[in-house]
Amino acid sequence: MGSKITTAFASGKPNDAHGELHEIGHLIECLPELAKKADLSSEQQDTVSEATEALMNAFGELDNTLHGGEEVDVDIVFEKISTQLKTLQPML
């Protein structure tokens, strides 16, 4: 989904990834519950919660542009997403 979203925005056709933006949001919302089931420490669970919020905000910025919101610098948004994914990576 991430590559489809990236490609759609890079090609100037963000609506091509509208469904993926909504779908990835639903997946991101599951992260805190999955962290609890994974028996992560409370510190790691806090990290997951913070990353979840940041990811929802970043993907939300992209989605808002499809609903008449302000244009965003997609490179900056993609960097925010990348940073949060790197934060989560060690907990896999």
Side-chain angles (χ1 to χ4, degrees), residues 6 9-10 14 18 22 24 36 40-41 47 51 65-66 73 78 86-87 91:
T6 303
F9 276 87
H18 199 179
H22 287 247
I24 206 161
K36 288 179 187 174
L40 297 178
S41 70
T47 299
T65 66
L66 304 179
D73 184 330
F78 289 144
K86 288 176 186 172
T87 298
M91 289 177 250

Side-chain angles (χ1 to χ4, degrees), residues 72-85:
V72 297
D73 184 330
V74 294
D75 291 331
I76 291 173
V77 175
F78 289 144
E79 182 60 34
K80 291 177 188 177
I81 292 167
S82 177
T83 298
Q84 295 310 314
L85 293 176

Side-chain angles (χ1 to χ4, degrees), residues 3 8 10 13 15-16 18-19 21 34 36 43 45-46 56 58 61 65-66 70 74 77 79-80 83 86 89:
S3 64
K13 298 178 183 178
N15 277 316
D16 289 353
H18 199 179
L21 280 171
L34 291 172
K36 288 179 187 174
E43 182 180 295
Q45 289 185 33
D46 289 344
M56 289 298 290
E61 288 181 53
T65 66
L66 304 179
E70 292 183 31
V74 294
V77 175
E79 182 60 34
K80 291 177 188 177
T83 298
K86 288 176 186 172
Q89 188 70 31

